[in-house]
Amino acid sequence: MISIFDIFKIGIGPSSSHTVGPMKAAAAFADLLHAENLDTQVARIVIEVYGSLALTGIGHGTFDALLLGLEGSLPHDIPLADIPQRLERIRTQHVLKLNGREMAFNPEKDLDIRGDKVLPKHPNGLNFIAYHSDGQKLKEQIYYSVGGGFVVTDEGFAQEAQENADVPYPYKNCDELLAQCRLNQLNISEVVLANEAALAGCDEAEVRRRVAAVADVMENCIKRGLGAEGQLPGGLNVRRRAPQLAAKLKVLRESEIVNTQLWPMVYAMAVNEENAAGGRVVTAPTNGAAGIIPAVLHYFRKFNPHANQSRVEDFLLTAGAIGILYKTNASISGADVGCQGEVGVACSMAAGAYAEVIGGTPKQVENAAEMAMEHHLGLTCDPVGGLVQIPCIERNGIAAEKALKLATLALLEDGTDKKVSLDEVIQTMLQTGRDMKATYKETSLAGLAVTLQKKAVPVSVRVVEC
């Protein structure tokens, strides 16, 4: 049983699987060299980048993340202001600091971009090879960035899943989660709170403190996004729209013309514009879908008269539980199952969480989460130019509004007559992703990415021609 804090990670944009994951993998390889007393012997490191990571690597900041990770940086605490200067040093001086020791690294020669090949266990594969000065191979390690910032070694895929941790209310799927709620007369958030305390070896107050800290990062990200203007990086010349949209909505609200449920769209867009700019965001459950949960939560805080700090924390506890169900029983990787595994999952998490905090029963929470995914089945991941901008930013806004409406709909019924369970829709999503053509799964080789290719930065074209 993983923790909700594995689902909600504080990191940087623009992508959890293509930026956060590769940075963590590179840092892990640097740590591995140090642990085996090899770092002082290393004269050269070559990184082989495969599949989706190679095809959209420039637009997603993958290659930059790998360089920063080798220097020991991690997404949750890297000083953003230092990044341009460090990358400029590596690119122009060809000097990288491995565990504090300077070594030669030429990105043009030492990054081996293989967009035409995929490693066998996941589309997001990386192979790190460290060499001695005499050309002898010192260490080689394969990592997979499997979505949501999770990184697995090649050996990790072969390990059998561990049994449930020693928690008071174990569950593997939604049916078991609902059974725990019925047997113990608890809400989903209460089940998760008790389990998180057991996993962390702390009291429930400490868990709530950590949840509140995540909520604060989400809140601050919305505020930054609503206050920042200009164009997003990457070459598409996409303009930040959230500040102007928010200003127009304020005027309309004062005139009592506009429905307040349009606000979550703007909040979500604000977050994803921050993410596209490489800012600090919460992976929820991925960066490409990072705007949906903060937007619905902020809407609850701002417009629901019964909102308080405890319910804010319950929102994230419930959302985290739903995210765990998808992560452990299917996938949250766009390169694996398409955008249904990112925006679809985030919408499902947000809908279920909102249903609980406005008074829904566990069964109604399940229904809200199920409906949200049911209407995202088959959603492809086709980012234009390999950038998390088109259609990603607007898509987050639409999903945030959808989550609110489906949660409200779920509370109009008791849920006992529903024909599709959350467990069934999770399995359907996984199978749909398996059936989806690879070109529609975060490769920028189909869909909008091809239709608008002439307007895109030459990311995919350069790699495909290699």
Side-chain angles (χ1 to χ4, degrees):
M1 180 174 289
I2 63 175
S3 166
I4 64 167
F5 299 107
D6 294 320
I7 299 294
F8 297 127
K9 302 182 183 75
I10 297 172
I12 60 171
S15 172
S16 49
S17 58
H18 289 57
T19 315
V20 173
M23 186 182 294
K24 291 171 64 177
F29 186 67
D31 288 343
L32 181 62
L33 294 175
H34 182 69
E36 297 186 11
N37 297 315
L38 295 173
D39 48 355
T40 58
Q41 304 177 48
V42 175
R44 184 187 182 201
I45 292 177
V46 173
I47 310 175
E48 298 171 346
V49 187
Y50 292 91
S52 176
L53 292 177
L55 290 168
T56 62
I58 295 178
H60 283 66
T62 303
F63 309 135
D64 291 345
L66 289 168
L67 305 181
L68 297 168
L70 278 181
E71 291 201 330
S73 293
L74 289 170
H76 68 279
D77 60 2
I78 182 172
L80 301 183
D82 296 345
I83 290 177
Q85 182 179 0
R86 290 172 58 190
L87 291 174
E88 183 68 14
R89 165 176 48 80
I90 297 171
R91 292 193 190 107
T92 59
Q93 301 178 25
H94 297 165
V95 174
L96 184 146
K97 296 179 181 179
L98 177 67
N99 295 320
R101 182 179 69 88
E102 291 189 350
M103 60 167 284
F105 190 95
N106 184 345
E108 294 184 2
K109 297 180 179 179
D110 298 330
L111 285 175
D112 188 359
I113 303 170
R114 302 186 176 189
D116 58 338
K117 296 182 180 179
V118 177
L119 293 180
K121 296 175 182 177
H122 194 277
N124 290 338
L126 297 161
N127 187 31
F128 294 80
I129 310 171
Y131 293 95
H132 192 272
S133 58
D134 61 7
Q136 176 186 352
K137 187 183 296 185
L138 292 172
K139 190 70 180 180
E140 183 173 5
Q141 181 64 58
I142 292 175
Y143 296 91
Y144 293 96
S145 179
V146 296
F150 287 86
V151 175
V152 182
T153 63
D154 193 44
E155 299 79 7
F157 265 94
Q159 296 173 358
E160 293 184 3
Q162 296 180 352
E163 293 297 320
N164 278 341
D166 187 15
V167 295
Y169 309 114
Y171 59 89
K172 296 188 182 74
N173 52 47
C174 189
D175 279 350
E176 293 181 6
L177 173 57
L178 294 180
Q180 291 286 11
C181 292
R182 286 194 303 270
L183 289 171
N184 299 283
Q185 296 185 323
L186 298 171
N187 290 327
I188 290 176
S189 60
E190 293 171 319
V191 168
V192 178
L193 181 62
N195 285 349
E196 288 294 328
L199 284 171
C202 65
D203 59 22
E204 293 184 357
E206 174 60 18
V207 174
R208 285 192 173 276
R209 185 196 67 78
R210 292 181 62 192
V211 172
V214 171
D216 287 344
V217 176
M218 290 180 172
E219 183 82 359
N220 290 332
C221 188
I222 291 175
K223 292 178 180 177
R224 290 197 308 275
L226 291 177
E229 299 192 13
Q231 287 188 350
L232 296 172
L236 287 181
N237 301 322
V238 172
R239 175 177 54 86
R240 286 181 182 254
R241 297 157 62 195
Q244 293 183 15
L245 289 173
K248 291 178 180 178
L249 281 182
K250 286 180 181 178
V251 173
L252 293 173
R253 185 179 63 182
E254 291 170 0
S255 304
E256 297 183 353
I257 295 174
V258 68
N259 189 309
T260 58
Q261 286 197 350
L262 288 175
W263 278 101
M265 297 182 67
V266 178
Y267 300 149
M269 291 173 67
V271 171
N272 279 83
E273 287 172 356
E274 276 293 289
N275 176 65
R280 187 83 65 197
V281 299
V282 176
T283 300
T286 68
N287 281 31
I292 298 163
I293 290 170
V296 176
L297 178 57
H298 186 69
Y299 174 86
F300 172 68
R301 277 175 152 170
K302 191 174 181 66
F303 292 102
N304 192 299
H306 304 294
N308 56 40
Q309 183 60 31
S310 178
R311 290 191 180 187
V312 165
E313 295 154 8
D314 291 344
F315 180 101
L316 290 177
L317 289 165
T318 305
I322 297 167
I324 289 170
L325 294 176
Y326 281 99
K327 171 60 183 170
T328 55
N329 294 296
S331 176
I332 56 173
S333 168
D336 189 21
V337 294
C339 196
Q340 57 174 358
E342 297 199 33
V343 164
V345 171
C347 184
S348 182
M349 293 166 66
Y354 188 68
E356 168 150 327
V357 296
I358 63 173
T361 65
K363 185 63 179 174
Q364 289 170 322
V365 169
E366 180 204 17
N367 292 340
E370 183 279 323
M371 286 189 289
M373 175 51 72
E374 186 176 327
H375 301 293
H376 279 94
L377 290 174
L379 188 63
T380 60
C381 182
D382 53 349
V384 176
L387 298 163
V388 189
Q389 297 180 16
I390 304 171
C392 318
I393 295 171
E394 282 184 359
R395 186 172 285 176
N396 272 253
I398 293 168
E401 184 187 13
K402 186 184 294 186
L404 283 168
K405 291 179 177 178
L406 291 174
T408 305
L409 175 62
L411 263 68
L412 296 177
E413 304 171 300
D414 62 15
T416 57
D417 195 38
K418 284 287 291 181
K419 305 301 182 184
V420 183
S421 70
L422 180 56
D423 287 331
E424 289 170 333
V425 86
I426 288 174
Q427 288 306 305
T428 302
M429 184 273 281
L430 179 62
Q431 187 58 52
T432 303
R434 295 288 183 261
D435 294 340
M436 191 182 293
K437 289 180 64 175
T439 52
Y440 287 94
K441 294 190 284 189
E442 210 164 356
T443 61
S444 291
L445 296 176
L448 283 175
V450 173
T451 304
L452 302 180
Q453 191 174 31
K454 292 182 180 180
K455 297 181 180 179
V457 289
V459 178
S460 300
V461 175
R462 184 183 74 82
V463 179
V464 172
E465 288 178 348
C466 287

